[in-house]
Amino acid sequence: MKRIETYIPLLLLLVAVISCTDEEKEYQPDLYVSFNPAITANTRAQAGEYPQEVPFAVWLYSLPEKKTWSKYRSNATLLADKAVVTNNDGCWSNIPAIFWPHKQDITAFAYSPLDIDADYSHTEGITIEEFDVTSGCYPLFTYPITDISSRYNGGCIAVPFVSALAKIEFRARSMAQIDTVLHLRSLSLDNVHYKGRFNSSPRATWTPTDEVISLEFCEEDIPVEVSSQIIGSKMVLPQTASLPVILVVDVYDNEGTLVEAGRKIVSRPLECNWNVGKYYSYTLNITTDSVTFTTDIFDNYDARNK
C-alpha cells in the first residue's frame, strides 16, 4: 500500500508535464509570416498609414530563441532575400508565404518603393546606389527590426518605415514698413546636392556626389502677408552645406503702385545640416532689402506629404 502511495505523486507529475507539453503545442501553432507597415512620425507630426497599393521588399533572417541579432548575426539563416510583400485582401504577405520557424526569432529589414534598386549587407545595412532625388521617387526604409518573437505577435511583424530623405519647407512673413507691400517672385537655394549613395548602417547616411542644382520654392507671384505663410517645400538629399537664400521681390506702395520690380535679396548663409528622416521648416522675415530666418526641426515626418 505504501508503494502505491509513493508512485502517485510521480504519476501526477508525469501527467502535468505531458499536459504542459500538449498545451504548448496547442498555443504555438504553425504561423505564416505577415506584416503591418506604417510610416513613423514623432509627436509633432501625424503618423502616416502606409499606402495600401504600394508593395515593398523585405530581407528576413532567423536565429534560435535567446540568440540576439547584435551578437549572432553572422550565424543567422536567410529566410527571405528581397522578397516582395503585397497587400492581399487586407493582409500584407509575400508569395509564396513563409512559415515562422519553430523556436526561432526573426530580424527584418525593408524598403519601399520597388522602383528603387536597393540591396542589403550585414556591414552597411540597406544600400541605394546612384540615387537622383529629381527622379520623383522617394525611398523609405526601416532600421533593423530585431529579435522578433512569434509568441507575442501572432506571426505579424510591425514594419515602421522612415523616409531616407529630408524635407525642406519655407515660410515667409513681411517685416516691411506699414506703407509697403512685398510680392515674392522667387525663393531659391543654389548649389544643392541631389545625387548620392545611401547606407542605413551603422547609421543612416548619404554620400552626395559633386553634382548640384538650384531649387526653386516659389512657383508663382505671392503677396507676402504680415503673418507667416507657406511658400513651398521640397524633398532633398540629406547633406551638410552653407547656402544663402536668394529672394526676388517686387515692392509696391499701399495703394498698389509698383515702386521697384525684381529686387534681389540674399540672406546670410543657411547652415544646412539636413539629416535622414528630418523635416526642416524655415520662416523668412522679409524687409525691402534684407531677410532673416528662424528654423524649426521635426523628426520623422509623414513622408507622403511631399
Side-chain angles (χ1 to χ4, degrees), residues 125-257:
I126 296 171
T127 57
I128 304 171
E129 304 286 349
E130 299 179 353
F131 178 77
D132 183 345
V133 75
T134 65
S135 67
C137 191
Y138 305 117
L140 301 171
F141 76 102
T142 64
Y143 291 104
I145 312 165
T146 59
D147 307 323
I148 314 159
S149 172
S150 63
R151 295 174 183 270
Y152 309 109
N153 65 6
C156 185
I157 298 174
V159 182
F161 280 109
V162 177
S163 174
L165 301 178
K167 182 178 180 180
I168 308 303
E169 174 188 84
F170 279 102
R171 306 175 69 94
R173 60 187 172 195
S174 176
M175 304 293 284
Q177 295 181 354
I178 195 169
D179 60 349
T180 300
V181 178
L182 302 177
H183 281 233
L184 185 62
R185 286 173 42 187
S186 175
L187 191 166
S188 62
L189 291 175
D190 287 343
N191 299 317
V192 179
H193 296 279
Y194 69 103
K195 290 182 179 180
R197 180 185 188 274
F198 174 76
N199 60 275
S200 67
S201 182
R203 71 182 185 89
T205 304
W206 285 92
T207 304
T209 67
D210 293 333
E211 297 166 277
V212 295
I213 56 173
S214 177
L215 292 182
E216 177 60 62
F217 290 83
C218 183
E219 305 295 339
E220 57 184 340
D221 182 301
I222 301 176
V224 183
E225 307 291 342
V226 175
S227 58
S228 173
Q229 64 197 100
I230 296 175
I231 302 301
S233 63
K234 298 282 186 183
M235 302 295 286
V236 297
L237 198 77
Q239 59 195 271
T240 299
S242 182
L243 307 172
V245 182
I246 303 169
L247 307 178
V248 177
V249 300
D250 291 338
V251 182
Y252 292 83
D253 63 23
N254 57 3
E255 295 181 352
T257 302

Side-chain angles (χ1 to χ4, degrees), residues 1-35:
M1 191 69 175
K2 289 183 179 179
R3 180 172 296 181
I4 294 175
E5 290 176 353
T6 301
Y7 282 113
I8 286 175
L10 294 176
L11 290 172
L12 291 175
L13 178 61
L14 180 60
V15 170
V17 170
I18 294 172
S19 175
C20 288
T21 303
D22 290 342
E23 185 176 353
E24 183 177 351
K25 289 181 179 178
E26 180 181 350
Y27 289 98
Q28 289 187 349
D30 289 335
L31 295 171
Y32 287 109
V33 177
S34 61
F35 304 89

Side-chain angles (χ1 to χ4, degrees), residues 101-120:
H102 186 54
K103 293 187 178 180
Q104 299 270 310
D105 289 343
I106 286 179
T107 291
F109 303 83
Y111 81 93
S112 174
L114 301 180
D115 295 340
I116 295 169
D117 185 17
D119 287 303
Y120 170 80

